[in-house]
Amino acid sequence: MAVEQYEKIPSAVVVSEELRRRLHRIWETRPGLFGWIATVDHKTIGIRYIVTAFAFLVAGGIEALIMRIQLAGPEQRLISPEAYNQLFSMHGITMIFLYALPILSGFSNYLFPLLLGTRDMAFPRLNAFSYWVYLASGLFMYASFLIGQAPNDGWFNYAPYSLKPFNPGLNMDFYALGMVFFGISTTVGAANFVVTFLRNRAPGMSINRLPIMVWGTMTISVGILLANPAVSLAFFLLWMDRQFGTHFYDTAGGGKPLLWQHLFWIFAHPWVYIIVLPAMGMVSDALPVFCRRPLVAYTLVILGTITTMVLGFGVWVHHMFATGIPFLATSFFSGASFIITIPSAIAVFAWIATIWTGRVVVTTAFLYFASFIAMFTIGGVSGVMTASVPADLQLHDTYFVVAHIHYVLIGINLFGVLGAVYFWFPKMTGRMLGERLGRWNFWITFFGFNLAFLPMHWTGLLGMPRRIYTYPENVGWTSVNLTTTIGAFILAVGILLLFINVLVSLRRGAVAGPNPWDAPTLEWAVSSPPPPYNFAVIPVVASRHPLWEDRLEEASGRSSIDRGLALDHGKEILATSVIDARPDAVLKMPDDNPWPFVLTLALSVLFTALLLHWWIVAGAGAAACVLAILIWLWPRAELGQKEGAAYE
Amino acid sequence: MSDAAIDRSGTLEVGRLAVGSIGHHAGGWWGMMTLIATEGFLFVYLEFSYYYFASHYGREWLPSELPSFRLSGPGTVILILSSVAAWWGERGGKSGSRLKLLAGLFIALVLGVVFVALQLREWSDKPFTLASHSYASTYFVVTGFHMAHVIAGLLALAVLILWSGLGYFDRARFAPVSIGIVYWHFVDVVWLTVFVAFYVTPYLR
Ligand code: HEM
Ligand SMILES: [Cu+2]
C-alpha cells in the first residue's frame, strides 16, 4: 500500500465535555487486578516509583539508625562486625541505587508528559517494565537478608575482598546479579526519557522553552545510557570470577583489582551527578514560582547541567588517589575535579539571584529549596577539598568523606525531593500538604540533619576511619559520635512527620484546584489530579511559561491550551521534530498490557536460578524471557505496525 | 485537503501526518538508537578491559602463538557480506518486493549462522580455557559477549523472516524490518572493533 494511505490530517478542535468523555473511555485503566498489573499510565507508574523509593528510603534509614546506635559510644557490642558490614553495605546500596535515582525517575515519570504537553511517555509498556524490574531487583537484593547473607563489602565493593576466597557466601552474588538486574530497569527507563524528550513534546515547545527538570532528566538519561554498561559489566565480570574461575580481578591469574575500581568509578562518578541533576532541575523549576519570577540565566543553567554531566565522565580517578597510581594521572584528575565545580556553581548563583531579585513567598517547599542551596555549597566545598590530592590522602577513607557524601546526597537529592513533594503533592492528589505540620517537618529534618553530619567533618579530621564497627574509648571520638547519633534520630523524626503529614492531608488537606501555586508550566493547566489522558487537546506552546504569558512579555504569540489537536481515534499522541517541535507524526499508543509484568517475572526466575546455580531453570527462564519479548513486540494493526488499516 | 490551523494566531499549521510506525517517524526506530548507544558503550568498556591489561602487561600477557586470521579472517568477511545481504533485502522490501526481502533476510541469517559455526570452531581450537589466565578470560568473555549479540541478532532476523512471510509488512509499513536490520548492522560493526582489538593490534606493537 502506498504511504499516503497511512497519513491523515488530524483535526483541531476546542475542548468539549463530549471529547473529554470519549478520551476518558479510551485512556482509562480498567479497574481490578488486571488493570493494576497491566496499567501503562505514566502517572500511576510515577507514583509507584515514588512510594517504592520512599519505602527503600525507610529501609535504608533503619539500617543507618542501627549503625548509629552501635556507634553511639565506644566499645559497644550491640551487633557483630559481620552484621555491621552488611548494614553499611546495604545502607549504601539502598540509598544510592534503590532510593536516589528511582525517586527522581518517579517525579520525572509523573511530570514528563504533563510538562511536555503530551499524553504519555514514548514507550508506555517499557515504562511499566522499568518499574517492575526496579521493584523486583530491589526485592532480589533485599532477599539476601532473609538468609543472613547480604552484601558486605560496601556499595563500591572493592576486589579482592569481593572475590570467592575472601567472601565465599552468597553475599556478593546477590549484589552482582542484583545490579545487573537493576541495570536493566535504569537503562530502559533512560531510553524512554531520551526518546520522549526528543520526540513527544507539544507543538511549539522548542528546546529553549523546556522546563529545566526536563533538561536535567534528559542529560542524566544520556549519562545513564553511556555509563551504566560499565557497572553492569564490572558486576558481571565479578560474578564470572566467582562462579567460573575467570581472572579479571585476582592477581594470581593475571587479573587486576584496580580494573574493578576503574570500571566501577567510570560509572559511579557520573552516577553521583545522575542522582542530583534532576533534583537540581526540580529546584530550578519550582523555586522561581515562590520568587514570583522566572529563573535567572535559564540558558546558562542548562549549559551548566550538560557540562557537568560531560565533565563528570572525566574525573573518576579522584576516587582512586590513594591507590598508588602514577603522579601524572592523579594531577590530571585532580585538575579536572576542580574544573567541574564551575558548571555546578552556575546553578547556585542562578538560584541565589532568583531569590535576590524575586518577591519571596515562604512556604515549606521554599524552605526546602533554600536549604538545598546552602547544603549544596557545603557539600561542594568538602568535595573540592578532597579533590586536592594531598588533602585527599589524609581524608580518604575517613568520616570526612562520609560527611561529604551525605551533604551532597541528602542536601541535593533528599531536600530537593522533599521540596518537590510539597510542591507537586497537590497535583498528584488534588490536596495540599499541611503547611503547619510542614514547618515542623522542615525544621526538625533540617536541624537533625545538620546536627548529625556537620560534626562528622570533624570526626573525619580527627582520623576516624569509615566502615569500622566500633572504636576504642581513649581516642576522643566519643562525643562527636554521640552527637551524630542524636542528630540521626532527630532527622528520622522529621521524616516521620512528613509521612504523617501525607496521610493526614490525603484525607483532610485543603482542596488544591488546578493551579494552587499560580505556577507557569503546563502541568498546572490540567485538573488536580490530572485526567487519564492529561490534555483533552494537545496544547500549542508559544513560550517558556505558558501560564504566565499575560504578565511576562516573552512570548512570540499566545500558547493555546483549550484549542488544539484532538487525536481521539484510539490512543494517540503527537510526534514532533527534535529541535523546534513541529508536528511530525501521529503515534498509536499501546493499551494496558500484562507482558511487562510477565517479562519481569521471567527475569526474576532467571536471576534467582543463576544465583542458586539451577542451570536448567535458568535456561527455562531465559526462554520464557525471549517468548515474552516476542509476544510484546509482535506487530499489531491497532498500533500501526502492520499493513492494512487505511486512515481517512 | 487544506491544512488545519490549530492555534488562533495561526502560527502553527498541521498538514498530512504519518499515522503509526513509519520509517524514522516510528518511536521504535529512536528506541533502537538508544539501545545501540548503550550497547556500543558496553563494548567500549569490554575493550577498555582488554587494552587495560594489554597496556599494563605488554607482550608476555598475550599467548605465545598470536591469534590467527585463518578462521577469523573469513568470519569477518562473511559477517560483512551478511550485512550487505540484509541491506539488499531491506531495499527490495522498501520497493515492494517481498521476495527480495525474504531472500535478503534469509541469506543474512545463513551467513550469520556460518559465522557462529566458525567462531565455535575457533573457540574449541584454543589451547586455553576461560579459567586459564586473564588473557583467556578476556578473550572468551569479550568474544562471548559478541556471540550473544550475534545470536540475539539471528533471532531477530528469524522473526523478521516469519513476519515478512506472514505478509505483515508493505512498502510503507516497514519499520520493524528496518529496526531489526539496523541492529544487525550494529552487531557487525562491533565485531570489527573486537576483531581489531584481538586479531590486529597484537601485530602492530
Ligand atoms: C563539586 C563537586 C564534587 C567534587 C569535586 C567531589 C569530589 C569527591 C572526591 C574527591 C571524593 C573521593 C573522596 C575519597 O574517597 O577520598 C568524593 C567522594 C564521593 N562523592 Fe563527591 N564530589 C563532588 C560532588 C558530589 C556529588 C554531587 C555527589 C552525589 C550526590 C557526590 C557523591 C560522592 C560519593 C557518594 C562519594 C563517596 C564514594 C565512596 O563511597 O567512597 N559528590 N567526592
Ligand atoms: Cu567522584
Side-chain angles (χ1 to χ4, degrees):
Chain A
M1 225 185 263
V3 181
E4 300 77 56
Q5 241 71 37
Y6 301 125
E7 289 180 345
K8 71 173 178 187
I9 299 184
S11 56
V13 301
V14 174
V15 179
S16 66
E17 278 314 305
E18 204 275 310
L19 177 64
R20 285 189 182 280
R21 268 196 299 280
R22 192 152 21 131
L23 286 170
H24 202 102
R25 267 198 308 281
I26 295 174
W27 284 86
E28 93 186 313
T29 296
R30 267 178 283 163
L33 183 65
F34 179 82
W36 194 82
I37 285 175
T39 185
V40 293
D41 184 334
H42 72 96
K43 298 181 285 298
T44 312
I45 294 167
I47 291 176
R48 282 180 185 175
Y49 254 110
I50 294 173
V51 170
T52 311
F54 266 111
F56 279 119
L57 178 76
V58 171
I62 292 171
E63 287 148 16
L65 291 180
I66 299 175
M67 287 190 285
R68 281 323 311 180
I69 300 175
Q70 162 74 12
L71 293 177
E75 301 290 0
Q76 299 221 74
R77 293 287 178 275
L78 182 71
I79 46 179
S80 67
E82 171 58 23
Y84 188 84
N85 287 351
Q86 298 190 7
L87 283 175
F88 80 69
S89 304
M90 279 307 277
H91 168 72
I93 293 167
T94 306
M95 292 308 192
I96 290 190
F97 297 116
L98 301 177
Y99 158 76
L101 181 73
I103 189 84
L104 300 175
S105 305
F107 278 98
S108 299
N109 247 316
Y110 189 93
L111 292 171
F112 245 56
L114 290 165
L115 290 169
L116 295 177
T118 184
R119 288 175 180 158
D120 209 332
M121 299 286 289
F123 305 114
R125 290 172 292 185
L126 207 56
N127 205 19
F129 178 62
S130 81
Y131 171 74
W132 290 123
V133 172
Y134 157 50
L135 180 64
S137 57
L139 294 178
F140 179 88
M141 288 191 253
Y142 260 83
S144 60
F145 272 128
L146 297 180
I147 57 166
Q149 301 191 18
N152 55 3
D153 187 15
W155 71 283
F156 35 77
N157 207 42
Y158 286 165
Y161 305 128
S162 54
L163 298 177
K164 199 105 192 174
F166 309 97
N167 216 325
L170 283 180
N171 317 51
M172 286 295 100
D173 300 324
F174 271 111
Y175 192 17
L177 292 170
M179 282 299 289
V180 176
F181 195 3
F182 177 72
I184 299 172
S185 159
T186 322
T187 302
V188 297
N192 211 351
F193 286 124
V194 169
V195 179
T196 308
F197 173 98
L198 294 175
R199 294 287 292 163
N200 299 306
R201 314 197 297 262
M205 192 173 251
S206 49
I207 53 170
N208 59 340
R209 291 177 181 163
L210 289 168
I212 309 268
M213 89 91 81
V214 172
W215 269 109
T217 303
M218 164 69 182
T219 307
I220 65 138
S221 298
V222 174
I224 289 172
L225 289 178
L226 307 188
N228 200 76
V231 80
S232 298
L233 178 64
F235 276 102
F236 179 79
L237 298 182
L238 174 64
W239 186 70
M240 292 290 288
D241 268 12
R242 292 175 56 85
Q243 309 309 325
F244 301 107
T246 56
H247 302 285
F248 290 101
Y249 305 127
D250 70 322
T251 37
K256 284 197 167 276
L258 270 193
L259 176 63
W260 168 271
Q261 291 202 25
H262 278 295
L263 286 175
F264 185 79
W265 287 114
I266 285 176
F267 153 83
H269 189 85
W271 185 262
V272 305
Y273 291 106
I274 286 169
I275 57 186
V276 296
L277 289 175
M280 291 167 65
M282 294 198 291
V283 174
S284 293
D285 288 337
L287 177 73
V289 172
F290 298 105
C291 302
R292 312 309 303 149
R293 59 152 298 152
L295 179 71
V296 172
Y298 169 90
T299 311
L300 277 181
V301 171
I302 291 173
L303 290 177
T305 306
I306 297 171
T307 316
T308 305
M309 189 73 248
V310 173
L311 292 178
F313 275 87
V315 298
W316 79 89
V317 172
H318 69 206
H319 296 271
M320 301 162 63
F321 286 158
T323 56
I325 49 174
F327 178 70
L328 192 64
T330 56
S331 313
F332 172 82
F333 283 96
S334 173
S337 308
F338 283 120
I339 292 172
I340 201 169
T341 55
I342 297 170
S344 334
I346 292 178
V348 172
F349 289 116
W351 296 325
I352 293 175
T354 307
I355 297 178
W356 196 274
T357 57
R359 284 177 291 123
V360 173
V361 182
V362 178
T363 59
T364 307
F366 175 84
L367 290 172
Y368 272 117
F369 298 143
S371 55
F372 179 98
I373 303 171
M375 261 119 54
F376 190 171
T377 313
I378 300 179
V381 169
S382 58
V384 178
M385 288 169 71
T386 45
S388 139
V389 179
D392 187 62
L393 291 179
Q394 180 66 24
L395 298 172
H396 180 67
D397 263 345
T398 69
Y399 263 82
F400 190 88
V401 171
V402 183
H404 162 68
I405 59 187
H406 287 89
Y407 265 89
V408 284
L409 283 168
I410 297 185
I412 28 183
N413 178 297
L414 184 62
F415 271 58
V417 164
L418 294 179
V421 167
Y422 276 85
F423 187 67
W424 277 295
F425 185 85
K427 182 52 56 188
M428 296 177 182
T429 64
R431 291 188 184 264
M432 310 293 289
L433 269 179
E435 272 292 315
R436 219 151 61 93
L437 200 49
R439 295 304 163 92
W440 283 100
N441 160 225
F442 169 77
W443 285 111
I444 293 177
T445 308
F446 182 77
F447 176 74
F449 168 69
N450 283 292
L451 185 66
F453 292 100
L454 205 54
M456 204 182 263
H457 293 101
W458 184 240
T459 323
L461 290 170
L462 289 176
M464 177 161 167
R466 309 165 63 174
R467 306 172 215 129
I468 51 171
Y469 86 108
T470 192
Y471 50 91
E473 227 183 304
N474 52 4
V475 285
W477 303 336
T478 307
S479 48
V480 272
N481 272 298
L482 184 61
T483 314
T484 294
T485 298
I486 294 170
F489 275 87
I490 297 177
L491 173 61
V493 171
I495 302 292
L496 192 65
L497 286 182
L498 172 76
F499 296 143
I500 294 174
N501 201 356
V502 165
L503 290 180
V504 172
S505 304
L506 271 178
R507 300 229 185 86
R508 280 189 264 143
V511 174
N515 192 359
W517 311 115
D518 185 21
T521 37
L522 282 180
E523 80 272 33
W524 304 103
V526 299
S527 62
S528 307
Y533 49 86
N534 293 354
F535 297 92
V537 297
I538 307 300
V540 182
V541 174
S543 75
R544 218 173 270 161
H545 305 99
L547 307 188
W548 279 1
E549 277 164 14
D550 46 0
R551 49 197 114 137
L552 302 174
E553 303 276 295
E554 62 174 28
S556 51
R558 269 304 168 82
S559 299
S560 169
I561 310 268
D562 51 4
R563 187 183 147 81
L565 299 180
L567 299 187
D568 55 348
H569 300 279
K571 272 190 154 182
E572 293 179 330
I573 67 170
L574 193 67
T576 44
S577 62
V578 172
I579 305 289
D580 50 2
R582 306 226 122 237
D584 180 56
V586 175
L587 300 180
K588 296 283 188 181
M589 299 313 259
D591 229 327
D592 294 349
N593 189 298
W595 293 103
F597 184 75
V598 175
L599 179 55
T600 308
L601 288 184
L603 279 170
S604 309
V605 171
L606 171 62
F607 277 98
T608 310
L610 290 178
L611 179 79
L612 302 173
H613 294 189
W614 297 345
W615 303 122
I616 296 173
V617 181
C625 290
V626 172
L627 212 63
I629 294 173
L630 188 62
I631 300 174
W632 178 339
L633 293 180
W634 202 272
R636 278 163 238 249
E638 72 273 16
L639 293 183
Q641 296 167 329
K642 231 162 109 174
E643 62 93 39
Y647 300 90
E648 279 173 334
Chain B
M1 210 191 274
S2 73
D3 295 352
I6 56 179
D7 58 338
R8 289 190 196 86
S9 50
T11 44
L12 204 109
E13 312 245 313
V14 180
R16 297 182 68 82
L17 297 180
V19 181
S21 296
I22 303 265
H24 296 186
H25 300 291
W29 171 266
W30 295 76
M32 179 50 79
M33 291 301 124
T34 61
L35 180 69
I36 287 177
T38 191
E39 297 241 75
F41 266 75
L42 174 62
F43 280 92
V44 167
Y45 297 127
L46 279 163
E47 287 166 29
F48 170 85
S49 311
Y50 170 79
Y51 288 119
Y52 181 77
F53 284 134
S55 66
H56 270 263
Y57 289 124
R59 174 63 182 94
E60 64 273 26
W61 184 64
L62 298 167
S64 47
E65 191 189 333
L66 288 181
S68 104
F69 294 119
R70 199 172 58 85
L71 293 174
S72 65
T76 304
V77 175
I78 284 172
L79 211 51
I80 293 173
L81 287 179
S82 159
S83 244
V84 174
W87 168 80
W88 175 80
E90 183 187 3
R91 226 179 52 145
K94 277 186 187 160
S95 66
S97 163
R98 194 192 300 177
L99 192 69
K100 278 189 192 164
L101 172 62
L102 283 171
L105 288 173
F106 187 73
I107 297 170
L109 180 80
V110 171
L111 291 173
V113 172
V114 174
F115 173 86
V116 171
L118 284 176
Q119 185 77 354
L120 287 177
R121 181 62 204 272
E122 169 131 24
W123 281 0
S124 68
D125 283 354
K126 291 285 176 199
F128 46 73
T129 70
L130 186 66
S132 301
H133 41 68
S134 58
Y135 174 83
S137 304
T138 314
Y139 171 78
F140 279 114
V141 167
V142 176
T143 55
F145 257 99
H146 182 261
M147 184 78 112
H149 282 71
V150 172
I151 289 169
L154 290 176
L155 279 174
L157 289 177
V159 170
L160 288 177
I161 291 174
L162 174 67
W163 289 344
S164 310
L166 289 171
Y168 281 4
F169 308 121
D170 61 26
R171 242 182 296 170
R173 277 280 183 257
F174 196 66
V177 180
S178 304
I179 295 169
I181 286 177
V182 77
Y183 185 72
W184 186 243
H185 294 324
F186 163 71
V187 170
D188 296 349
V189 171
V190 163
W191 170 255
L192 295 181
T193 70
V194 173
F195 178 73
V196 168
F198 282 92
Y199 294 88
V200 180
T201 53
Y203 293 99
L204 299 179
R205 296 171 338 98

